[in-house]
Amino acid sequence: GVGTEWAAVSDAASIDFAYKLAEYDGEPRMKASSKKATWPGRKQVWRCWKGDEMAGDHVTAADESGPEGATPLLEPCILNGEIVPEGLPSLKRVREHASQQLAALPEAIRALEPAPAPYPLTISDRLESAKQALMRKLGVGENNE
């Protein structure tokens, strides 16, 4: 791909997201740049709770279990180029879900002032090991750009 500044007019709005290939033909892939490194393979994100409030997220390989009581966040919307049989949620349902999730964030994270600590995010040991193994296989060091 190319950078946004090269591909778009500098004073025009641009979409701020990126696609990172995680797997190709069953083989894990990752970006190894030190400032943008990713973890290889398919993943699941698990939301941990303390009562009705979010306590942090935990990222695992897709086939790994999450922490006890955690809620899986990722579910397929399209499989083999087709919308899943359950279909996509309505815009109304998406708005309701987003509102519920925002309300469940810790108050310090929702405040206008900077939070004293960032929202907790952890990576599973297995996912981190897979990343390190693939970096060794590719001959890439942690400080590689």
Side-chain angles (χ1 to χ4, degrees):
V2 296
T4 303
E5 294 298 320
W6 186 85
V9 177
S10 63
D11 64 348
S14 61
I15 298 174
D16 188 16
F17 70 91
Y19 169 82
K20 304 280 197 261
L21 184 66
E23 184 177 282
Y24 179 76
D25 198 23
E27 292 294 319
R29 299 288 190 254
M30 65 179 275
K31 184 168 184 167
S33 170
S34 66
K35 294 180 183 169
K36 298 180 183 180
T38 60
W39 286 267
R42 296 178 191 200
K43 290 167 267 316
Q44 179 57 272
V45 180
W46 300 85
R47 171 113 339 121
C48 301
W49 298 88
K50 187 174 184 179
D52 291 336
E53 189 173 90
M54 292 179 191
D57 292 348
H58 185 67
V59 182
T60 66
D63 61 350
E64 263 187 288
S65 297
E68 189 170 330
T71 307
L73 300 182
L74 305 179
E75 54 187 71
C77 294
I78 299 174
L79 290 172
N80 301 318
E82 300 290 329
I83 294 177
V84 294
E86 300 81 26
L88 300 175
S90 68
L91 184 54
K92 179 181 178 187
R93 179 64 197 122
V94 171
R95 283 185 187 129
E96 290 169 353
H97 178 75
S99 179
Q100 292 165 353
Q101 294 296 295
L102 285 170
L105 279 167
E107 189 174 334
I109 300 290
R110 286 184 281 132
L112 294 177
E113 300 80 28
Y119 181 77
L121 174 71
T122 56
I123 306 296
S124 75
D125 291 340
R126 183 171 139 205
L127 206 50
E128 183 61 34
S129 293
K131 175 183 175 181
Q132 297 305 321
L134 187 53
M135 289 179 78
R136 283 192 300 276
K137 180 180 177 181
L138 298 172
V140 177
E142 279 290 329
N143 295 324
N144 198 41
E145 288 294 322

